[in-house]
Amino acid sequence: MWDRYHEPLSLDAMADSAFLSRFYFSRLFRSKTGTSPGRFLTAIRLYKAKNLLLETNMSVTDIAYAVGYNSLGTFISRFTRSVGISPARYRWLAEHGIPQLSRTRTAGPRRRATITGRLALPPVDVPVKVYVGVFDSPIVQGLPASCDILEASGEYVLRDVPEGEWYLRAAAIALGDIAARPSMRRPLAVGSHDALTVAAGANVTVDLALHHTGVFDLPILIALPELDSTDPASRNRRAFARDDRRPARSSRVLHRTTS
């Protein structure tokens, strides 16, 4: 998939290349990746589109066709739904920075859950920034319902998580890569947990162990952490808003914005 993402790959073609029936291939693929072959292929295509948006002057139309889409409208809608912003907006933000996201405002009293736990990194030999959040899909896409940022193994806290089913995901990015061009950034390590059913007012504890990134790990389809920056000149543009009144721990909470 990583080499032939621009081709019109069907499930039958993918199964045939693995010398398996489509049923067994789908079941085996989901057991290894946590999602279907079709969704994994879509994630790769959109990941490649993000790179082209940042590294080339190609038009959005040309990029859509270059990554395997035959419809510009389908590409734009899927990119927007998965990444959280349109392709054109994504390219613009790479140059101008991401505005701060506001906290969710709820009408009237509403009890939400808190998810906490210990996050454990595998051995890494460079400083990292670790993003951990909950998403409404196994694929890390769109905005997380809540997110925390760490700089090493330790305790994370996800506050104000709405009741429902959520997927806990984490990614460790080398600080040196954060300063590099966005499309060159790949997580050093990732971690995930099976679907969590969260009740209102609950306090859930989930420990999360990250592992070094492999070929079966889905690409990250959100504007962050790619466009986040440790450059002091761009701190006022961060999507993860810093609260200077908090203790000097590099972790913040991001809540889903309301329309």
Side-chain angles (χ1 to χ4, degrees):
M1 287 188 193
W2 284 100
D3 295 329
R4 300 173 58 191
Y5 61 89
H6 54 282
E7 299 179 15
L9 291 175
S10 65
L11 178 59
D12 286 333
M14 288 186 279
D16 287 344
S17 67
F19 302 103
L20 298 171
S21 70
R22 58 181 292 163
F23 172 77
Y24 185 70
F25 174 76
S26 294
R27 187 173 65 177
L28 181 63
F29 192 95
R30 186 179 290 274
S31 71
K32 291 291 186 180
T33 66
T35 191
S36 68
R39 294 196 72 183
F40 198 101
L41 177 59
T42 296
I44 292 174
R45 285 172 169 168
L46 296 180
Y47 176 80
K48 293 294 185 179
K50 288 167 64 181
N51 290 356
L52 292 174
L53 285 164
L54 299 181
E55 297 296 323
T56 74
N57 292 322
M58 293 172 62
S59 69
V60 172
T61 300
D62 289 341
I63 290 173
Y65 288 106
V67 299
Y69 284 91
N70 294 322
S71 166
L72 176 61
T74 299
F75 168 70
I76 291 176
S77 63
R78 288 186 179 175
F79 189 100
T80 303
R81 183 172 62 251
S82 297
V83 179
I85 49 180
S86 70
R89 181 70 171 165
Y90 182 81
R91 174 176 271 170
W92 186 90
L93 290 174
E95 298 295 329
H96 300 86
I98 300 179
Q100 293 184 350
L101 297 176
S102 61
R103 291 175 176 243
T104 300
R105 304 297 181 185
T106 56
R110 182 177 180 182
R111 295 189 307 154
R112 297 191 173 216
T114 299
I115 302 176
T116 61
R118 179 167 180 81
L119 184 145
L121 284 169
V124 291
D125 55 4
V126 294
V128 297
K129 181 179 285 189
V130 188
Y131 299 78
V132 55
V134 285
F135 297 83
D136 59 6
S137 164
I139 300 175
V140 181
Q141 62 181 15
L143 293 175
S146 182
C147 181
D148 200 2
I149 305 176
L150 309 177
E151 293 181 348
S153 297
E155 301 293 327
Y156 71 89
V157 180
L158 305 178
R159 297 183 176 88
D160 293 337
V161 179
E163 60 181 320
E165 186 174 83
W166 299 100
Y167 296 85
L168 182 63
R169 298 291 186 263
I173 310 294
L175 288 180
D177 286 344
I178 291 174
R181 294 185 66 83
S183 67
M184 301 300 293
R185 301 169 194 155
R186 293 292 303 275
L188 290 177
V190 293
S192 63
H193 190 275
D194 294 337
L196 291 169
T197 300
V198 177
N203 292 308
V204 181
T205 300
V206 179
D207 293 333
L208 192 62
L210 278 70
H211 61 269
H212 292 292
T213 306
V215 295
F216 292 116
D217 292 308
L218 283 155
I220 294 176
L221 294 181
I222 52 177
L224 299 172
E226 290 184 349
L227 299 182
D228 186 30
S229 173
T230 55
D231 179 2
S234 63
R235 283 177 182 168
N236 63 326
R237 303 195 302 249
R238 289 185 185 179
F240 289 99
R242 178 186 297 274
D243 186 344
D244 292 327
R245 296 169 296 179
R246 294 183 59 181
R249 173 175 178 261
S250 186
S251 66
R252 287 136 289 192
V253 177
L254 172 69
H255 301 285
R256 187 185 304 276
T257 55
T258 54
S259 57

